Amino acid sequence: MNKLLPLTMLLLTGSLHLNAVASPNDVKVYETGEPVTKPMVMSRFVELRNARKIKSIDFKDQQQNPVNLKQYQGKLVMVNLWATWCAPCIKEIPAMQAIKDRNQDKDFALVPISIDEDPNNIKPFFKEHGFEDYATWIDPEKNIDYIMPADLLPASFILDGQGNLVGFVRGYIDWTDDGIQPYLDGLIAKYANK
């Protein structure tokens, strides 16, 4: 019995560490109020009851320059996690680009973040699929795990104008659906200048 105790403690400690890393910070900032009415296509989107403060971490752009989500304060930010090995991401990228283009004059920012371990795979992937104009940030060390879970792709996380997490959807959805833009407009109105 005594021989199992150290192993049990080691497993428990490792489990607690993994859970702490993979979940957003639990600091509640404010109650979000009534959720924005969502279309059927967004049925899996979770609008949080309480906005959650997240850590500020740095990423890199494709030219290896440091970037941070803070640069989008005052805007609704949609962080879209993706990778070159993620088949549903290939379907999602053109829709994400269309969303970015459609909302460029609004208080909205789309921030794709690749979690590919080798960022050198991104440029050939973009060329192969015709995504040369798609700009992404890179996170080969998966630092995003410190603020948002990156264990299921694609995934999109919504941040308010102060960078607090207010909602998310994990897994593929059809971002080309007619109900998406009115829903995003509702989220922008509610959260961009929060």
Side-chain angles (χ1 to χ4, degrees), residues 42-122:
M42 294 297 288
S43 63
R44 290 185 296 120
F45 181 82
V46 176
E47 186 175 352
L48 300 174
R49 290 183 182 200
N50 293 286
R52 309 282 178 148
K53 186 164 190 65
I54 60 173
K55 290 181 184 180
S56 177
I57 59 174
D58 291 330
F59 301 98
K60 294 194 186 287
D61 64 16
Q62 288 175 269
Q63 293 73 41
Q64 299 295 317
N65 299 312
V67 286
N68 191 297
L69 293 167
K70 286 182 187 179
Q71 69 192 61
Y72 294 113
Q73 290 217 347
K75 295 186 177 201
L76 181 83
V77 177
M78 183 159 79
V79 174
N80 179 254
L81 300 183
W82 73 280
T84 59
W85 44 263
C86 164
C89 297
I90 297 171
K91 288 177 65 177
E92 210 173 65
I93 288 174
M96 288 292 140
Q97 184 63 52
I99 287 171
K100 183 177 182 179
D101 293 345
R102 226 179 5 254
N103 292 283
Q104 63 186 349
D105 295 331
K106 298 179 183 176
D107 288 332
F108 176 84
L110 174 71
V111 181
I113 300 178
S114 166
I115 61 166
D116 280 282
E117 290 180 9
D118 185 356
N120 293 321
N121 293 336
I122 296 171

Side-chain angles (χ1 to χ4, degrees), residues 115-132:
I115 61 166
D116 280 282
E117 290 180 9
D118 185 356
N120 293 321
N121 293 336
I122 296 171
K123 190 173 182 178
F125 171 82
F126 281 174
K127 185 172 182 165
E128 176 185 348
H129 295 285
F131 303 148
E132 289 94 341

Side-chain angles (χ1 to χ4, degrees), residues 18-30:
L18 288 174
N19 288 336
V21 169
S23 63
N25 195 332
D26 284 331
V27 176
K28 296 176 183 175
V29 182
Y30 62 88

